[in-house]
Amino acid sequence: MAGGDSNKGADEGADSYADDRNLKDMRIIAQTNLKLIAYTTSRLHASMLGMFSEVRMRLPNMILCELTRKSVKRAVKIGVNGNRIKDFILQHAHPVRRIFF
C-alpha cells in the first residue's frame, strides 16, 4: 500500500507541474472587434477568461471569447476592474500581437 501511495503523490506532483507550465504558456490574441483567441490547455486560464468574457468555443488547445458589455459588468460586480482585464490580456499577449498595445 505504501508504494501505491508514493506513486499517487508523484503523479499529483507531475500534474501540478504540467498545470504550472501551462499557466506560463498561455497566449492571447486580442482583436479589434473585442474577440479574444487564447491558446492554452489550462482549466484555470479558461475560468479566468470566463470571469470577464463570454466563452464562445472551447477546443483542446484554444478558447474563443468575446468581451461584451454584459460580461464586463459581471466582472465589475465580482471585483475585477477594467485595468485588471487589460493587464491580464497584456501579460498574456501573443508575441506577434504585443507590438500593437
Side-chain angles (χ1 to χ4, degrees), residues 65-92:
C65 307
E66 184 174 6
L67 289 174
T68 63
R69 180 177 290 182
K70 180 180 173 182
S71 67
V72 173
K73 280 185 176 182
R74 184 179 66 231
V76 169
K77 277 187 178 180
I78 61 172
V80 180
N81 64 25
N83 283 332
R84 285 188 173 181
I85 294 171
K86 180 190 73 157
D87 291 343
F88 181 83
I89 293 170
L90 286 175
Q91 180 182 3
H92 298 289

Side-chain angles (χ1 to χ4, degrees), residues 7-67:
N7 287 340
K8 182 179 178 185
D11 290 342
E12 288 174 2
D15 288 343
S16 66
Y17 173 75
D19 287 342
D20 290 343
R21 191 178 61 229
N22 289 340
L23 292 177
K24 296 175 186 171
D25 290 341
M26 181 167 142
R27 298 291 178 239
I28 296 175
I29 295 175
Q31 299 178 344
T32 56
N33 59 1
L34 302 180
K35 293 186 180 182
L36 305 174
I37 303 168
Y39 295 99
T40 186
T41 56
S42 168
R43 286 179 280 168
L44 175 60
H45 272 139
S47 295
M48 292 171 78
L49 286 167
M51 289 176 68
F52 60 83
S53 66
E54 299 289 335
V55 176
R56 301 295 185 201
M57 183 184 303
R58 280 190 190 176
L59 300 171
N61 63 346
M62 184 171 60
I63 302 168
L64 301 173
C65 307
E66 184 174 6
L67 289 174

